[in-house]
Amino acid sequence: MAMKHKPRDTKADQCGVENCKEKGRKSLSTKKVRSAVPNLKLRSDIGKRVHLCKNHYKEYKKKTKKERELERLAWE
Ligand SMILES: [Zn+2]
């Protein structure tokens, strides 16, 4: 018996960004993603959590990092 990781719901595992056909890798809070990358268009059928593909996750990380850096600079 193969105990392979089998995709239960391919749509749920897809990246939550509209028109993105990549596989979602990271599960994130939709709210957080919306506030960090407001220009990112998320699909309307996603719930409280959204999966982001590698590229979109990178984009999200970059934005959150930038914000943190700006915050830090403001304190220095
Ligand atoms: Zn994507």
Side-chain angles (χ1 to χ4, degrees):
M1 257 269 288
M3 289 295 280
K4 265 200 180 149
H5 181 88
K6 83 173 179 193
R8 339 153 280 215
D9 190 345
T10 42
K11 209 176 170 202
D13 284 342
Q14 211 180 314
C15 177
V17 178
E18 217 167 58
N19 298 322
C20 184
K21 299 274 191 290
E22 295 294 315
K23 238 189 170 163
R25 297 283 173 99
K26 298 270 182 185
S27 170
L28 295 152
S29 148
T30 308
K31 239 193 197 165
K32 263 191 199 163
V33 176
R34 280 222 167 97
S35 63
V37 221
N39 58 323
L40 207 63
K41 217 167 170 225
L42 300 175
R43 287 205 318 256
S44 49
D45 62 340
I46 47 160
K48 283 195 174 134
R49 297 197 72 83
V50 58
H51 283 83
L52 290 184
C53 67
K54 224 159 76 182
N55 288 336
H56 281 123
Y57 181 67
K58 226 188 256 172
E59 204 177 317
Y60 165 80
K61 280 288 267 193
K62 231 196 275 173
K63 292 278 178 171
T64 49
K65 200 180 165 207
K66 212 179 259 173
E67 246 163 58
R68 273 203 299 271
E69 266 164 23
L70 282 175
E71 247 168 59
R72 203 170 57 214
L73 282 175
W75 285 102
E76 269 164 12

